[in-house]
Amino acid sequence: MTLRVYNTLARKKEEFVPIEPGKVKMYVCGPTVYNYIHIGNGRPVIFFDVVRRYLESQNYEVAYITNFTDVDDKMIRKAEELAVTVPELAETFIQAFLADIQTLGVHEATLNPRVTENIQEIIDFIAVLVDKDYAYEARGDVYYRTSKFADYGKLSQQNLDELQYGIRIEVDDRKESPQDFVLWKAAKPGEIYWDSPWGQGRPGWHIECSAMVRKYLGETIDIHGGGHDLTFPHHECEIAQTEAVTGHPMAHYWMHNAFLNIDNEKMSKSLGNGILIRDLVKQIKPEVLRFFMLSGHYRNPLNFSDESLKQATNSLERIQNAYDNLKHRLKLASATQLSEVETKLTDRIAAIAHQFEEKMNDDFNTPDAITAVFDLVAEANLYLQQERVNAAALQLFLDQFHAFDQILGILSQQANELLDEEIEQLIIERTESRKSKNWARADEIRDLLTEKGIFLEDTPQGIRWRRK
């Protein structure tokens, strides 16, 4: 099967062919670290984690870079507000970001470069643009001359002649043209700065990624990703900067995820409807949030609501219960060979795995891939209805669940053995109460365990439990 990726630049799906066989160079724009991340930030973090996981499952060696913007205007204002230095502010929220994505099951990036660690590379990059006449200095600032780059606008398909000056772009009398954008900003009194050929200042936003992509991944990479809001101007400006310096395409595939809405409204500061990930995971399991994010196609808007979250919770519970039931039955199953009937499971499971891969190969279609997971759940539940099962068949199912979860990351690996002593004793006591027909005490214990987030199921094979 061939992987096809929707390329924003081409406006169509294209066959994925890496620059170097067996290897993928991938860069995803990271956060400006002046606050905790909200669920809108979480969508690209989770989706591109799955892209990376899937590529690795296809035996690609993935160099996955996501940066930290640790100095800019927002950070300077926030640092002043909190009476801390910009580096102190950055370190606080970088560590918070890393903790939050770890909670979400996101794999650690190959590298997380910071702007402040790459100032010289950024200055050198700007200097080349100035030497090539793609940039000019004006009173300590340096601007990119967009009129010089003939392909400016090719990614976003913006018609620059129709831009409304002062509304969609900032009017500045230091610019030769309103469409020009800043590469180096002169420092104001009291602001953090670095020395440069154009005076004391700091990098503009767009230039940082161009410099870091070239430094860590090379002149041309396979995949450049981010949210839809980065298409213009950020990624458009990156292309103009990089291709003016190198003369080569910056990336072969540009991928952008759509917006996340809250109760059918766009998330915004003015509406005050942003939800921090660290607050949300106190109310729901992180796996539920991952499942919700993957339940819609990444190029389509996704609506977050109490109802959609409830649906995600119930759907994931079906998958988790089937997985947990398989593990529970495996403890008691005999290690016999597959029967003639059971050998057909191998073909059925293989067909489901093929279906999953087919959907992921179609531009990482996670909602349809999840449908394949539910097909596996149905097959597993049907098999588990049998009074006698064997270990080999159960292991076939578990292995496939594991393979799917290596990509999606939606299953909880909470083990049964993690029950504490108090709960174990309560379960034993309830069993004895049922044997002695003390139904009142048995029900009382069940209610107590429910309060502790432990739900019991009486099955022919014994007591089954699951966490809330």
Side-chain angles (χ1 to χ4, degrees):
M1 288 185 286
T2 300
L3 173 62
R4 295 180 63 80
V5 177
Y6 185 87
N7 187 353
T8 304
L9 184 62
R11 293 295 192 277
K12 63 180 181 180
K13 295 178 187 177
E14 297 179 327
E15 179 181 351
F16 180 72
V17 181
I19 297 168
E20 184 177 351
K23 296 184 178 182
V24 176
K25 294 184 289 185
M26 184 174 174
Y27 185 95
V28 177
C29 290
T32 301
V33 285
Y34 70 103
N35 206 339
Y36 299 111
I37 59 171
H38 53 68
I39 57 173
N41 306 133
R43 189 175 194 190
V45 167
I46 291 170
F47 170 69
F48 286 107
D49 176 61
V50 170
V51 170
R52 184 246 192 110
R53 287 173 179 235
Y54 184 68
L55 291 170
E56 289 176 339
S57 78
Q58 301 299 297
N59 299 316
Y60 285 108
E61 178 185 330
V62 182
Y64 183 86
I65 307 290
T66 183
N67 69 298
F68 290 129
T69 299
D70 59 345
V71 61
D72 84 333
D73 291 343
K74 292 178 182 177
M75 296 199 62
I76 290 172
R77 289 195 295 268
K78 188 65 173 282
E80 289 176 350
E81 177 187 324
L82 298 178
V84 297
T85 66
V86 170
E88 288 171 340
L89 179 76
E91 189 61 29
T92 295
F93 288 111
I94 284 173
Q95 295 308 316
F97 173 84
L98 293 174
D100 286 347
I101 67 169
Q102 183 179 38
T103 299
L104 294 175
V106 173
H107 287 178
E108 184 179 348
T110 307
L111 193 66
N112 292 118
R114 306 184 188 194
V115 174
T116 57
E117 296 172 341
N118 293 276
I119 296 295
Q120 189 56 54
E121 287 79 8
I122 292 171
I123 290 172
D124 293 344
F125 203 107
I126 296 172
V128 174
L129 289 171
V130 172
D131 289 344
K132 288 190 168 187
D133 201 34
Y134 281 95
Y136 58 93
E137 187 269 340
R139 291 182 288 189
D141 291 344
V142 180
Y143 293 95
Y144 187 94
R145 186 176 279 117
T146 55
S147 61
K148 177 83 171 179
F149 188 72
D151 287 337
Y152 190 75
K154 66 179 178 180
L155 179 68
S156 59
Q157 297 187 358
Q158 292 276 351
N159 185 337
L160 300 186
D161 292 335
E162 295 178 0
L163 286 176
Q164 299 178 53
Y165 301 162
I167 298 177
R168 292 187 60 185
I169 53 179
E170 180 184 357
V171 173
D172 190 326
D173 62 7
R174 288 169 293 182
K175 297 181 181 182
E176 293 180 355
S177 170
Q179 294 101 331
D180 294 350
F181 57 89
V182 67
L183 302 173
W184 185 261
K185 303 184 75 167
K188 297 175 183 177
E191 289 184 346
I192 187 171
Y193 68 85
W194 287 264
D195 292 323
S196 80
W198 316 284
Q200 296 176 340
R202 64 183 186 279
W205 178 35
H206 310 306
I207 191 65
E208 63 185 66
C209 290
S210 286
M212 288 189 282
V213 166
R214 186 174 69 154
K215 176 181 177 179
Y216 296 107
L217 294 175
E219 293 188 349
T220 302
I221 64 175
D222 295 292
I223 296 173
H224 197 320
H228 174 73
D229 55 315
L230 297 181
T231 307
F232 185 88
H234 188 51
H235 288 167
E236 195 74 73
C237 294
E238 282 186 47
I239 289 175
Q241 294 161 165
T242 296
E243 298 185 5
V245 167
T246 68
H248 304 297
M250 184 177 187
H252 284 177
Y253 305 90
W254 290 85
M255 297 179 64
H256 297 92
N257 64 275
F259 292 114
L260 181 74
N261 297 321
I262 307 290
D263 292 323
N264 294 310
E265 291 186 305
K266 184 177 178 181
M267 190 164 52
S268 68
K269 289 182 180 179
S270 60
L271 292 174
N273 60 355
I275 301 171
L276 298 181
I277 284 175
R278 59 180 40 220
D279 292 336
L280 185 60
V281 296
K282 295 175 183 176
Q283 305 169 38
I284 64 168
K285 294 178 180 179
E287 295 88 359
V288 170
L289 183 56
R290 278 188 74 102
F291 183 90
F292 165 74
M293 293 292 190
L294 301 175
S295 64
H297 195 285
Y298 79 95
R299 287 191 286 110
N300 294 333
L302 188 61
N303 186 54
F304 181 93
S305 66
D306 289 342
E307 181 60 30
S308 62
L309 206 57
K310 182 179 179 181
Q311 290 174 358
T313 301
N314 293 338
S315 295
L316 182 56
E317 195 171 81
R318 284 177 54 202
I319 299 172
Q320 186 72 50
N321 285 344
Y323 175 74
D324 289 344
N325 286 334
L326 288 165
K327 289 196 298 180
H328 177 70
R329 293 292 294 276
L330 183 61
K331 293 179 181 179
L332 305 174
S334 58
T336 58
Q337 291 185 339
L338 295 175
S339 67
E340 183 177 345
V341 173
E342 288 168 336
T343 55
K344 295 181 180 179
L345 287 175
T346 304
D347 293 337
R348 180 58 185 145
I349 292 172
I352 292 172
H354 179 85
Q355 177 190 348
F356 180 94
E357 185 176 3
E358 188 174 56
K359 297 306 180 183
M360 289 298 291
N361 277 337
D362 182 16
D363 192 32
F364 306 101
N365 189 336
T366 56
D368 282 359
I370 288 173
T371 298
V373 178
F374 278 113
D375 288 344
L376 185 66
V377 168
E379 289 289 338
N381 288 340
L382 187 63
Y383 182 68
L384 287 169
Q385 289 177 12
Q386 299 182 150
E387 185 175 345
R388 298 185 64 183
V389 293
N390 76 57
L394 295 172
Q395 196 60 56
L396 280 175
F397 280 111
L398 285 170
D399 288 346
Q400 193 56 60
F401 272 109
H402 288 150
F404 287 161
D405 198 52
Q406 284 297 306
I407 297 164
L408 300 177
I410 56 175
L411 287 175
S412 170
Q413 298 301 322
Q414 187 74 48
N416 289 15
E417 289 72 22
L418 292 180
L419 279 171
D420 62 38
E421 186 176 338
E422 177 189 7
I423 295 176
E424 288 178 357
Q425 290 302 315
L426 286 169
I427 291 175
I428 292 171
E429 183 184 348
R430 180 176 177 273
T431 302
E432 293 300 320
S433 295
R434 287 169 61 83
K435 286 181 180 178
S436 62
K437 300 188 186 222
N438 186 351
W439 308 117
R441 178 56 179 162
D443 291 344
E444 182 182 347
I445 292 172
R446 176 187 281 274
D447 292 342
L448 181 59
L449 290 172
T450 299
E451 290 176 9
K452 293 178 177 290
I454 302 296
F455 289 82
L456 303 181
E457 299 172 6
D458 296 307
T459 74
Q461 295 77 34
I463 294 177
R464 180 79 183 87
W465 71 272
R466 60 185 173 85
R467 293 186 182 272
K468 183 176 181 181

